[in-house]
Amino acid sequence: MTQPAQKSSPDADKETLHQFGYAQQLLRDMGGFSNFAVSFSIISILTGAVTLYGTGLNAGGPVVMGIGWPLVTFFVLFVAAALAELASAIPTSGALYHWASVLGGPGWGWATAWLNLIGLVAAIAGIDYGCAQFLAPLLALEETTANFLFVFAALLLSHAALNHVGIRAVARLNDFSAVYHVAGVAVVVLALAFFAPRQPVAWLFQKTFTTVKDQPYWFAFLGGLLQAQWTYTGYDASAHTIEETKNARVSAPWGIYLSVAISGLFGFVMLAFVTLAIGDLDATAAAKNPFIHIFEHALNPRFGQAVLWVVTLAMWFCGLSCVTSTSRMIFAFARDGGMPASRVWAGVSRKFRTPAAAVWLASALAFLLPCLVFGVVAARPAAFNFDKLYPAVTGISTIGLYLSYGIPLLLKVRAVRRGLWTSRANGPWHLGSWSVPVNVIALAWIAFITVLFVLPPNELTGFIFGGAAFALLIFYLTCVRGRFHGPVPQAKSHEELLQLEHELER
Amino acid sequence: MESYGLLIGLALLALVTTTAILLGRKANAGVKSFREERHENFLRRKS
């Protein structure tokens, strides 16, 4: 496995892309901070950690925040570092899918792409539907499914329109979002630190509590890790936007790694202060929204409302970044003919140089997913419980994304063992002799959470995800096998690639 | 957990922080060595 030659000219990014057989179709306008900001915004500690706060608290109590969050952070750092290495070595928008194809062949690439797509679409749905549930009451709308779906559609429309109009606008918004998240956490922490009563620090690490019945505490605690694990998803966005990032082979890997590390720090500080402000643990756990309940009781109802607005806007930013990332993934996969009607989804807006068709497809699929789920629930209300739906969607997103992270990592370890991946294949961002152990730890963690999050009480995740995986397998065996050839160079020569770029610029 | 929770928590926080820093430093060293190698190759080609 060899690597394209390295250049130090300002056009190095473009030339690297040419060496992988692709033209520079997307506008390369993102700096290192913007690339980091996309992933940091998708991880969005003010989204995942907040919407699933009740899930974590009910599963294992304060210990899930005090010990569960750092535990998950520890292992996710290994996953992020391993992915960052691959992003540096193979810097294309297809990212996970492209890496798996290069390392294992088109079948592995196809599976990775679909798992990634399922995870990303479920992530958009989870984020924006969660946002709609927060926003509807703030807009004085009645909390009905129809209103939630209406707000959800409006949110998706705003994200799709902005992503269609341009990477510049989205990049500026993502930059602002990163600062906003840090400022939002600072507001939350300072307000609680100065004005709220506090439990002793030891309570955060020692207080065990669960409302989960018929299971030992340690098992319920592990189930509560879904809160942190779902928060740490979507940081592959830095790799999906790599063709739009300057100095891509260094900036994007740092974007992946630092977005996890910095989210870990700020997320822990926020969760610690929020949890230590709990007065009555039983009442908080039983509340409809435990996170808001804490603010309303520790401070006052008005502050609770203000925090709701802060969190809702953070979710909006998170959804915006997630549509960016998903559309780039669809664009790259369709560019290689991996999807039905690929030519349509690989289309680039001449005016805005964005993957416009992929943007609208990502938003439409995200809208359809909750509609489908509601349809199923409406058809069999006795068989499904609405309370389990949100954790189920987030579970699907987590498992889909982490399996798609795991496949290229596994294939890379295999390639190293077979001597096919040597140090010459590394990009600038690499871990040298630590690379294999880091990959192995990351893989062990992915295997662990994949099993954990389909066990009871998350069996609904297992049924839905298992059904989707089975359908994909049938689709692959009947329609795709032998017909899909993986990443396809867009042209045979450097001159043809230049011609493609010239045509797009006209 | 009631008796050792604080100790476990603080040890875990120290472990996470150390790991994050060490992995970051290792990657940074990788970037530096990559640039140096590339620079040497460039000089070799020139001479």
Side-chain angles (χ1 to χ4, degrees):
Chain A
M1 201 158 296
T2 54
Q3 208 31 236
Q6 301 304 310
K7 297 226 172 189
S8 55
S9 71
D11 287 334
D13 290 317
K14 199 181 195 177
E15 292 194 25
T16 305
L17 195 58
H18 284 183
Q19 284 159 347
F20 283 98
Y22 295 119
Q24 181 68 56
Q25 288 181 284
L26 304 176
L27 184 66
R28 198 181 283 274
D29 195 44
M30 293 172 83
F33 181 76
S34 296
N35 183 284
F36 155 81
V38 178
S39 285
F40 188 68
S41 299
I42 296 185
I43 292 176
S44 185
I45 43 182
L46 287 170
T47 302
V50 171
T51 53
L52 288 179
Y53 187 84
T55 304
L57 193 70
N58 277 288
V63 169
V64 166
M65 317 299 158
I67 290 181
W69 181 271
L71 184 71
V72 173
T73 307
F74 175 74
F75 287 106
V76 172
L77 280 170
F78 286 86
V79 180
L83 291 178
E85 274 195 305
L86 277 170
S88 187
I90 308 172
T92 59
S93 291
L96 307 148
Y97 141 71
H98 194 156
W99 309 338
S101 298
V102 168
L103 292 163
W108 284 109
W110 188 88
T112 304
W114 279 103
L115 288 170
N116 195 225
L117 192 58
I118 290 170
L120 285 169
V121 168
I124 300 175
I127 294 160
D128 277 4
Y129 194 78
C131 186
Q133 285 178 314
F134 276 69
L135 187 58
L138 286 172
L139 297 174
L141 292 171
E142 204 183 330
E143 293 185 46
T144 62
T145 305
N147 280 344
F148 286 150
L149 284 175
F150 173 73
V151 177
F152 176 52
L155 290 168
L156 283 171
L157 201 65
S158 68
H159 292 151
L162 273 165
N163 271 289
H164 183 149
V165 166
I167 188 64
R168 279 202 179 116
V170 174
R172 297 295 94 80
L173 283 168
N174 281 327
D175 290 354
F176 177 71
S177 168
V179 177
Y180 177 85
H181 272 80
V182 172
V185 170
V187 168
V188 167
V189 166
L190 289 175
L192 291 172
F194 285 107
F195 303 114
R198 263 185 309 217
Q199 299 278 359
V201 174
W203 196 74
L204 185 68
F205 302 106
Q206 291 174 341
K207 182 64 186 169
T208 55
F209 169 87
T210 185
T211 57
V212 178
K213 299 203 168 57
D214 308 325
Q215 282 178 349
Y217 173 76
W218 65 267
F219 191 75
F221 165 84
L222 290 177
L225 298 183
L226 177 65
Q227 179 201 8
Q229 197 65 55
W230 187 59
T231 307
Y232 288 122
T233 52
Y235 47 88
D236 49 318
S238 288
H240 290 305
T241 52
I242 205 163
E243 289 181 26
E244 292 149 277
T245 304
K246 296 169 191 166
N247 191 21
R249 306 186 79 188
V250 175
S251 299
W254 277 123
I256 294 171
Y257 186 71
L258 288 178
S259 60
V260 168
I262 293 173
S263 296
L265 174 68
F266 281 94
F268 179 76
V269 172
M270 180 184 77
L271 289 174
F273 275 89
V274 171
T275 307
L276 290 175
I278 292 175
D280 182 342
L281 184 55
D282 291 294
T284 305
K288 194 176 172 191
N289 187 330
F291 193 85
I292 298 304
H293 178 92
I294 293 168
F295 282 91
E296 286 177 347
H297 287 77
L299 300 164
N300 63 52
R302 278 193 179 180
F303 196 82
Q305 284 287 103
V307 170
L308 258 174
W309 275 107
V310 170
V311 167
T312 305
L313 189 55
M315 288 179 190
W316 185 86
F317 281 124
C318 179
L320 179 75
S321 304
C322 207
V323 170
T324 309
S325 178
T326 310
S327 62
R328 272 50 178 182
M329 192 270 144
I330 291 173
F331 162 77
F333 191 36
R335 182 173 60 180
D336 295 330
M339 297 179 70
S342 281
R343 288 184 106 186
V344 177
W345 314 125
V348 174
S349 158
R350 280 181 180 272
K351 188 174 178 186
F352 300 111
R353 298 284 297 270
T354 54
V359 165
W360 290 99
L361 179 66
S363 307
L365 289 175
F367 182 73
L368 287 176
L369 183 66
C371 292
L372 186 74
V373 170
F374 283 125
V376 171
V377 173
R380 296 193 61 193
F384 296 102
N385 180 353
F386 260 112
D387 293 343
K388 284 188 172 182
L389 286 180
Y390 198 76
V393 170
T394 53
I396 292 164
S397 169
T398 306
I399 293 176
L401 286 169
Y402 272 90
L403 280 177
S404 71
Y405 299 169
I407 291 172
L409 299 187
L410 183 67
L411 293 170
K412 187 189 164 188
V413 172
R414 190 182 71 164
V416 171
R417 279 177 62 91
R418 290 179 176 178
L420 297 170
W421 184 291
T422 62
S423 60
R424 279 170 58 86
N426 288 334
W429 203 103
H430 67 89
L431 297 166
S433 58
W434 292 13
S435 180
V436 171
V438 165
N439 274 270
V440 170
I441 293 170
L443 283 166
W445 181 250
I446 290 169
F448 174 69
I449 59 164
T450 303
V451 175
L452 178 69
F453 294 144
V454 297
L455 294 177
N458 301 311
E459 64 272 31
L460 186 59
T461 304
F463 290 137
I464 298 174
F465 191 81
F470 183 71
L472 277 177
L473 183 67
I474 298 294
F475 180 49
Y476 178 75
L477 292 175
T478 54
C479 304
V480 179
R481 199 177 184 187
R483 293 178 201 170
F484 174 65
H485 304 292
V488 183
Q490 288 179 299
K492 285 176 185 161
S493 68
H494 182 65
E495 286 67 33
E496 280 182 53
L497 289 171
L498 289 174
Q499 180 66 29
L500 261 173
E501 287 164 1
H502 181 66
E503 278 173 18
L504 207 61
E505 279 160 13
R506 270 191 302 176
Chain B
M1 191 54 89
E2 299 279 332
S3 34
Y4 297 109
L6 184 60
L7 201 65
I8 293 170
L10 294 178
L12 192 57
L13 287 177
L15 180 68
V16 175
T17 310
T18 310
T19 305
I21 292 169
L22 287 178
L23 284 173
R25 283 180 65 171
K26 185 73 178 168
N28 202 31
V31 172
K32 274 186 188 166
S33 73
F34 190 91
R35 281 190 181 139
E36 279 163 16
E37 275 171 33
R38 200 168 65 177
H39 187 61
E40 273 176 27
N41 287 346
F42 175 71
L43 291 178
R44 219 175 293 142
R45 252 184 272 135
K46 253 189 131 182
S47 61

